[in-house]
Amino acid sequence: MTALSIPTWIIHISSVIEWIAAIWLIWRYAEISGDRVWRSLSFGMLPALVSAMCACTWHFFDNPPALEWLVTLQAAMTVVNNCTCCAAGWWIWRSTQKAES
């Protein structure tokens, strides 16, 4: 685990925990508000969590060439996350437009 410094590890790990907390809080908001469309955002955020786990795993094993496929998976999950969060945001916006009509 010499690839990253301790402060960088702290940032990586706290970011993953923070993302998990955000997903959970949005899910709870959907339950409490009764507006289940917000669950789409929770699901939309999952690819970014996978991306973060790929990065942490690759760094944990000191960035070995045998695990370079994790870098590709991380990049792909980031693209997927951008699309799914955009779609979830649009879906939430659409639901508010229908509610106002």
Side-chain angles (χ1 to χ4, degrees):
M1 289 182 23
T2 59
L4 300 179
S5 66
I6 298 294
T8 304
W9 270 114
I10 291 169
I11 290 168
H12 272 57
I13 293 168
S14 64
S15 294
V16 170
I17 293 168
E18 191 175 25
W19 201 253
I20 291 169
I23 291 169
W24 180 77
L25 287 170
I26 292 167
W27 188 272
R28 290 290 298 145
Y29 176 77
E31 288 178 346
I32 292 169
S33 69
D35 192 0
R36 295 183 183 262
V37 73
W38 281 90
R39 287 185 177 179
S40 65
L41 183 57
S42 288
F43 284 118
M45 294 170 70
L46 290 175
L49 184 59
V50 172
S51 176
M53 297 304 290
C54 288
C56 288
T57 302
W58 192 58
H59 291 314
F60 181 81
F61 291 107
D62 289 332
N63 310 334
L67 293 180
E68 283 187 9
W69 60 272
L70 283 172
V71 178
T72 305
L73 182 59
Q74 177 193 7
M77 287 295 99
T78 299
V79 171
V80 170
N81 176 74
N82 292 344
C83 295
T84 56
C85 281
C86 179
W90 176 80
W91 196 356
I92 293 167
W93 173 80
R94 190 184 74 176
S95 74
T96 62
Q97 297 304 306
K98 287 182 179 178
E100 291 175 1
S101 299

